[in-house]
Amino acid sequence: MKKVLTLFTLLIFAAALNAQILVDENFDYAVGDSLTGHGWLVTGTNALGTILVEPGNLSYPGYPLSDIGNHVSITGGLSRQDVNIPYTSQTSGSVYNSFLLNVTAATTTGDYFFNVGPNPIASSFRARVFVKDDGTGKLLFGFAQSSSNVTYTTTTYEYNTTYLFVVEYKFVPATTSDDTVKLYINPTLDGPAPAANITYVSATPGADLLQIGAAAIRQGSQAYSIKLDGLRVTTGW
């Protein structure tokens, strides 16, 4: 049994060594700076409601990007700025986007605040993460490849509480409609990837992306308020 466990540990370690970190974003900039001054690009053309660096950071035990730098707030409502950070495009395997999240306000109408896409991102948004109030003062998180057919968590979550999110985009080469996205909330940090909270497989012919090369923050039309920190994009769990 000891030899089996040792081999398993070595395999996990080897996979970690082969993983490539594409983005490490701790928002470790001067308070009040715009993200567009630090490598982020405006998604689309809207320049209103600029996303700025705010003081303080989010903390999550065991997460390597915890308690570093500052954070940003994502505030929905009306027409506001969306931004994305591009990185070296990936065309195979899985791309993991992890970040810390703390929701201070939400409405009972769901809206998405995070997604991935190609580089440049244009309008090809995938792996959209939604938030809404369940009507009783608790939170539900949703997940989808598009704005329709959103699947929400069966578990409720708390306001003003920091959670660790991981968003996975997996290339599946069999057809043009089988790439898979997965959402993990507070996953186990030691060992292989656990079961996802939500898994969504694209079923629309041609919907699979040829490459993934951007992570995006979105300020939607619903009046939510979210703190986000510690964004890491990597090719390994």
Side-chain angles (χ1 to χ4, degrees), residues 46 49 74-81 111 219-225:
N46 186 29
I74 310 168
T75 305
L78 302 177
S79 180
R80 304 184 64 84
Q81 184 186 79
D111 203 351
Q219 300 191 118
S221 60
Q222 299 302 314
Y224 54 75
S225 183

Side-chain angles (χ1 to χ4, degrees), residues 8 17 19 60 62 78 85 90 104 127 140 152-153 158 177 180 189 194 217 220 233:
F8 182 67
L17 287 178
Y60 188 89
L78 302 177
I85 185 165
Q90 305 297 305
T104 58
L140 295 174
Y152 282 93
T153 55
E158 302 292 332
S177 60
T180 303
L189 293 176
I217 296 172
V233 183

Side-chain angles (χ1 to χ4, degrees), residues 4-216:
V4 173
L5 290 175
T6 301
L7 177 59
F8 182 67
T9 302
L10 289 174
L11 288 173
I12 293 175
F13 182 67
L17 287 178
N18 291 327
Q20 180 183 5
I21 296 177
L22 303 170
V23 173
D24 260 359
E25 178 60 274
N26 294 302
F27 307 108
D28 195 7
Y29 314 121
V31 172
D33 278 10
S34 169
L35 290 187
T36 55
H38 296 283
W40 290 72
L41 305 176
V42 175
T43 305
T45 59
N46 186 29
L48 300 176
T50 304
I51 297 177
L52 303 176
V53 175
E54 300 198 8
N57 51 56
L58 299 183
S59 176
Y60 188 89
Y63 184 56
L65 274 65
S66 173
D67 289 317
I68 303 175
N70 292 302
H71 76 280
V72 293
S73 289
I74 310 168
T75 305
L78 302 177
S79 180
R80 304 184 64 84
Q81 184 186 79
D82 305 333
V83 294
N84 70 88
I85 185 165
Y87 51 84
T88 303
S89 297
Q90 305 297 305
T91 59
S92 62
S94 288
V95 179
Y96 298 91
N97 300 257
S98 58
F99 52 88
L100 300 178
L101 188 80
N102 188 303
V103 180
T104 58
T107 70
T108 54
T109 301
D111 203 351
Y112 73 98
F113 60 87
F114 181 88
N115 62 269
V116 304
N119 180 7
I121 197 167
S123 59
S124 298
F125 306 144
R126 300 292 188 272
R128 308 181 196 207
V129 185
F130 291 70
V131 64
K132 70 176 181 179
D133 189 287
D134 74 343
T136 70
K138 302 289 186 178
L139 294 170
L140 295 174
F141 295 107
F143 199 51
Q145 287 281 47
S146 66
S147 292
S148 58
N149 301 320
V150 184
T151 299
Y152 282 93
T153 55
T154 55
T155 300
T156 59
Y157 297 87
E158 302 292 332
Y159 284 95
N160 304 301
T161 301
T162 298
Y163 297 105
L164 172 62
F165 278 62
V166 181
V167 174
E168 176 186 2
Y169 187 102
K170 182 178 181 180
F171 291 94
V172 182
T175 72
T176 62
S177 60
D178 57 359
D179 284 1
T180 303
V181 294
K182 295 182 179 182
L183 176 66
Y184 307 84
I185 303 174
N186 286 357
T188 302
L189 293 176
D190 54 345
N197 292 74
I198 302 174
T199 299
Y200 188 92
V201 180
S202 175
T204 304
D208 293 355
L209 296 178
L210 296 178
Q211 48 97 354
I212 289 288

